[in-house]
Amino acid sequence: MSEAAGLAVGIDLGTTYSVLAHVDNSGRPWTVSNGEGDAITPSAVFFDRDQVIVGKPAVKAAEFEPARVAQFVKRQMGESHYGSPIGGRSFPPEVLQALVLRKLCDDARLKLGQFTKAVITVPAYFNEPRRRATQDAGRLAGLEVLDIINEPTAAAIAFGVQQGFLTRSGESPQPETLLVYDLGGGTFDVTLMEIDGPQYRTLATAGDVYLGGMDWDQRLVDRVADRFLAQFGVDPRQEEQALARLHWEVIEAKHALSARDEVTLQFAWDGHRMRSVVSREQFESLTGELLDRTLLTLRRVLKESRRSWNDVTRLLLVGGATRMAMVQQMLRAETGLEPDRSLAADEAVAHGAAIYAALQSGPDHPQYQGISVRNVNSHDLGVLAIESQTGMRRRQVLIPRNSPLPAVGVCDFVTQRDGQPNVRVSVVEGGDVTGAHATPIGKCVVAKLPRNLPARSRVRVSFDYSASGLLNVGAALPGTGRHAAITIRRTANLDEEALAAWQDTIQRGELLDEDALPEPLTDSQSLAGDGDPSEEAISPDSPPSAAEDAQLKAFFQGMGEEAQ
Ligand code: ADP
Ligand code: MG
């Protein structure tokens, strides 16, 4: 089939479900259903003995052979391997995600014709390695990834263009402040953004990678299993197959409760049968605490963006789990706004991505060419330094989270000792004030310092973070003439060579052939660690701020207690 002229699709590569959409000639986005006829495809990969199966059948297979199924891979994007080996083999997450993308695209090509261009969405809080891994997954699937965009931005475009609060070219005739509340299967995020004319600006974003519809499922599973155990002395959670079946029943019941006040849940196992009536009220009291967690995040985002509910003009619901009545009730009560549920909650992100893809792909869709998207960085960007007095590690933030991009930050440090031959600037993303949980994303070394350089010589570090996600890091020692600079691109888990090898393996369909698999990565290869011991750290030039000090003290106290 010939390449459909200019066709570019939008793909929501979700934690639990993925969706592909395209824009028709009139500019309207459509979901392209998969080979099974479903709009959404479970992001699950089953390694059967002689083939790789993606989607619903893979989820089914998890019931019988959980060890051969990869699920919720999105959570591990940016790491070196998917959590557990599958069928004894270890896979990088982007390879597994590529298989999901390939299934979506192969199915879509039967309807749309040949295409290779795509825009893929990522959560707003995804850090650079995760974004890069997403892009690489696209490449591994044989796609030309035009761009990756944030899911809330995509949702805003989809709602806006279809509801008419944005023009067909994606511009906002009057300033809008949107809150996007996205509760998916395994993740939750909230983003507050402004759209003014063609400008999209993210004000703040926050989320929880371990909160989603699955947690609601688990509460119901536990309730039914506890009763089953009490009644028959058998715990269905103890057996994989029983548990998988119970999950199916529970999810159906949960979905039904979004439309009805009461459902009857039936579950049979080991010769016993149980009928259990669950009311919406019971369901809501079982899971209320989960909803409260989303509320805390919601308030935090509002606070960080220094806005009040009065400033918010629209509340967009995204993610299948926002169909639960309790979510809408909570949001109404909290915000005083009526949530916009006009689009299918689980398809809106893909629709927005498709519109954005059309915008990116040029001449066929000139109407979309004006939009400019301005994001914030979703994680603190800083430097790891060593506290001179205590010898403890401290993270100094140069560009705080939720800073509008492009952003710059400058901070002074000092050398640690007399005659220090070089300084290493370890650049990290996220983490806390002690540097714990921070992701190393690169380093900049100023070498060949003058031999007699005294301790506490000034080191000026500057960050320049471009809107496209490139971080330029400079380090200079004024007066010595020595300086160094690096550009940190989104650090990749797989290098070019490994990518090419995996691409080859995927294309030849040799994923099941152990001998044909590229060498597995070691963790040291995939992490930009501190590395070379001959490079020396720098120290903060300023005492910690009061807030940092309190956090550091709490940390040290915590360490002391542990040691006792
Ligand atoms: P993700 O973005 O995490 O891949 P989705 O946005 O597709 O996922 O949301 C999937 C979640 O939405 C699942 O937990 C699913 O059970 C839930 N969901 C879908 N439809 C309904 C419904 N009618 N009522 C309640 N939950 C639903
Ligand atoms: Mg989603």
Side-chain angles (χ1 to χ4, degrees), residues 417-441:
R417 61 181 182 94
D418 290 332
Q420 184 169 330
N422 59 44
V423 298
R424 179 190 62 229
V425 177
S426 303
V427 183
V428 294
E429 188 171 56
D432 65 15
V433 64
T434 69
H437 312 298
T439 309
I441 58 170

Side-chain angles (χ1 to χ4, degrees), residues 383-396 413 416 432-436 537-540 542 544 551-560:
V383 166
L384 285 188
I386 304 291
E387 192 78 58
S388 312
Q389 301 88 336
T390 58
M392 296 301 293
R393 205 169 56 164
R394 185 169 131 206
R395 186 200 59 171
Q396 189 82 34
F413 296 82
Q416 284 197 297
D432 65 15
V433 64
T434 69
I538 45 178
S539 298
S542 56
Q551 269 189 60
L552 277 166
K553 283 208 179 96
F555 177 73
F556 292 144
Q557 273 162 11
M559 297 233 310

Side-chain angles (χ1 to χ4, degrees), residues 6 145 164 345 378 393 432 441 446 480 512:
V145 182
S378 47
R393 205 169 56 164
D432 65 15
I441 58 170
V446 191
T480 68
L512 296 152

Side-chain angles (χ1 to χ4, degrees), residues 10-22:
I11 302 175
D12 171 6
L13 185 58
T15 310
T16 45
Y17 290 96
S18 294
V19 186
L20 184 147
H22 81 113

Side-chain angles (χ1 to χ4, degrees), residues 96-432:
L96 300 167
Q97 292 286 71
L99 297 173
V100 175
L101 288 171
R102 197 179 56 165
K103 143 92 178 166
L104 291 171
C105 292
D106 283 350
D107 286 5
R109 284 182 185 115
L110 297 176
K111 298 188 174 148
L112 303 178
Q114 186 60 30
F115 62 85
T116 53
K117 292 185 186 141
V119 165
I120 306 176
T121 63
V122 292
Y125 61 78
F126 251 26
N127 62 10
E128 295 311 315
R130 289 163 179 258
R131 284 169 194 265
R132 176 57 185 260
T134 305
Q135 224 154 14
D136 286 344
R139 277 180 61 191
L140 286 170
L143 291 171
E144 180 193 337
V145 182
L146 298 174
D147 204 352
I148 46 177
I149 67 161
N150 288 347
E151 284 156 17
T153 305
I157 295 174
F159 276 92
V161 170
Q162 290 175 83
Q163 283 291 82
F165 64 83
L166 298 178
T167 64
R168 287 194 40 191
S169 63
E171 295 189 19
S172 172
Q174 61 211 37
E176 296 277 356
T177 304
L178 311 182
L179 184 92
V180 182
Y181 177 102
D182 182 350
L183 187 61
T187 54
F188 166 64
D189 41 301
V190 190
T191 304
L192 196 70
M193 58 192 296
E194 269 175 6
I195 311 181
D196 193 0
Q199 306 289 337
Y200 286 59
R201 201 152 76 90
T202 303
L203 299 174
T205 183
D208 188 337
V209 237
Y210 287 96
L211 182 64
M214 283 162 66
D215 298 288
W216 270 257
D217 303 343
Q218 191 58 44
R219 296 284 163 105
L220 264 184
V221 163
D222 285 335
R223 181 191 132 112
V224 177
D226 285 343
R227 300 212 162 169
F228 203 83
L229 179 62
Q231 219 170 327
F232 307 112
V234 181
D235 189 344
R237 282 165 299 202
Q238 298 300 323
E239 265 190 74
E240 264 161 8
Q241 277 185 42
L243 184 59
R245 190 169 307 167
L246 180 54
H247 259 122
W248 280 108
E249 296 297 337
V250 153
I251 290 170
E252 257 178 43
K254 178 186 77 169
H255 290 188
L257 279 173
S258 294
R260 296 210 302 271
D261 292 338
E262 196 176 276
V263 291
T264 306
L265 210 153
Q266 304 217 37
F267 178 65
W269 182 252
D270 202 26
H272 307 291
R273 171 175 295 276
M274 194 177 95
R275 287 181 88 237
S276 169
V277 175
V278 185
S279 69
R280 190 185 273 177
E281 218 179 328
Q282 285 168 329
F283 176 60
E284 292 178 355
S285 76
L286 267 180
T287 55
E289 177 223 330
L290 299 170
L291 192 68
D292 290 345
R293 279 168 59 189
T294 74
L295 181 58
L296 292 180
T297 306
L298 190 66
R299 289 181 177 157
R300 182 170 143 214
V301 163
L302 192 72
K303 192 164 160 228
E304 283 189 6
S305 56
R306 296 188 200 89
R307 297 292 190 281
S308 74
W309 292 126
N310 284 335
D311 300 319
V312 179
T313 53
R314 291 170 202 276
L315 173 53
L316 311 184
L317 293 198
V318 179
T322 60
R323 293 205 177 93
M324 292 187 291
M326 63 197 291
V327 170
Q328 298 147 37
Q329 277 156 16
M330 179 275 280
L331 288 172
R332 267 186 215 107
E334 173 70 11
T335 67
L337 292 159
E338 183 57 30
D340 187 339
R341 300 165 53 216
S342 59
L343 303 190
D346 35 20
E347 296 170 53
V349 167
H351 285 197
I355 295 173
Y356 188 74
L359 154 113
Q360 298 294 307
S361 68
D364 280 6
H365 298 279
Q367 70 266 36
Y368 290 129
Q369 281 188 3
I371 305 179
S372 99
V373 177
R374 192 165 185 211
N375 291 323
V376 292
N377 64 325
S378 47
H379 298 259
D380 293 320
L381 285 168
V383 166
L384 285 188
I386 304 291
E387 192 78 58
S388 312
Q389 301 88 336
T390 58
M392 296 301 293
R393 205 169 56 164
R394 185 169 131 206
R395 186 200 59 171
Q396 189 82 34
V397 173
L398 274 80
I399 301 181
R401 64 189 292 264
N402 285 329
S403 303
L405 300 183
V408 292
V410 177
C411 187
D412 282 345
F413 296 82
V414 292
T415 55
Q416 284 197 297
R417 61 181 182 94
D418 290 332
Q420 184 169 330
N422 59 44
V423 298
R424 179 190 62 229
V425 177
S426 303
V427 183
V428 294
E429 188 171 56
D432 65 15

Side-chain angles (χ1 to χ4, degrees), residues 23-96:
V23 167
D24 69 15
N25 289 334
S26 72
R28 201 186 144 184
W30 297 91
T31 300
V32 184
S33 51
N34 64 20
E36 289 79 57
D38 297 322
I40 63 179
T41 303
S43 311
V45 185
F46 172 45
F47 288 77
D48 202 354
R49 272 147 198 88
D50 54 357
Q51 56 180 329
V52 177
I53 298 167
V54 176
K56 218 192 231 171
V59 178
K60 268 275 176 206
E63 205 171 312
F64 301 100
E65 295 192 271
R68 301 186 77 90
V69 179
Q71 279 180 289
F72 317 116
V73 179
K74 187 171 181 175
R75 285 180 171 162
Q76 269 144 12
M77 288 296 264
E79 293 170 22
S80 59
H81 323 100
Y82 172 66
S84 45
I86 305 156
R89 289 172 292 255
S90 176
F91 290 97
E94 45 276 68
V95 170
L96 300 167

